[in-house]
Amino acid sequence: MLSRVLLFFGLLGMLAGVALAAPSSERQKQLIHRLKHDCGSCHGLTLKGGLGPPLLPSSLAAREEAELVEVILKGVAGTPMPPWGSELTTEEARWLVRVLKEGVI
Ligand code: HEC
């Protein structure tokens, strides 16, 4: 009986963990702001490209989410793309990639 109760709360905890992994709505606003201003300074304010390549859904459609998350967190050595790993968590980078792929902006 006790083990069932523990299992139940264990599962509940996991579900809560998944839900909490998405950035809060306040943080989402900050991330969108950063996307337009910081990322936009190279990728274009409307993300159609500039110094950096376009980040539009059509440009990213064929790219793996994990690969793009890696680029954002680690940057691309030898190019102006800087690493953002000290400012963004993996979950936030993943959320940004989803936003970009969906073309929310
Ligand atoms: C200083 C300029 C600069 C800034 C700021 C910048 N990028 Fe980049 N980014 C680049 C360049 C240049 C590349 C292309 C690297 C290469 O040649 O593979 C790139 C590549 C990328 C790619 C891979 C696109 C592809 O088609 O391969 C993604 C995704 C990306 N950047 C996201 C971001 C995000 C998100 C931010 C803001 C948090 C950001 N970048 C800020 C210059 C920048």
Side-chain angles (χ1 to χ4, degrees):
M1 179 63 200
L2 182 64
S3 64
R4 276 209 198 149
V5 171
L6 289 178
L7 183 69
F8 175 74
F9 281 108
L11 287 175
L12 205 66
M14 270 165 57
L15 287 176
V18 170
L20 285 176
S24 68
S25 59
E26 190 53 36
R27 182 66 178 148
Q28 290 185 7
K29 275 189 212 141
Q30 291 172 357
L31 292 171
I32 294 290
H33 186 267
R34 155 156 294 174
L35 198 55
K36 287 187 184 153
H37 296 271
D38 292 353
C39 316
S41 66
C42 282
H43 291 278
L45 197 60
T46 52
L47 305 175
K48 288 193 180 127
L51 175 65
L55 299 179
L56 299 174
S58 54
S59 340
L60 301 178
R63 309 291 299 276
E64 288 291 333
E65 179 180 297
E67 182 199 347
L68 297 171
V69 168
E70 184 100 348
V71 167
I72 294 174
L73 293 176
K74 299 196 176 150
V76 183
T79 79
M81 176 62 185
W84 297 91
S86 59
E87 295 178 50
L88 301 173
T89 65
T90 306
E91 210 38 63
E92 288 169 348
R94 194 172 292 145
W95 184 82
L96 279 176
V97 168
R98 287 186 190 150
V99 165
L100 290 169
K101 275 178 165 281
E102 283 170 21
V104 175
I105 297 182

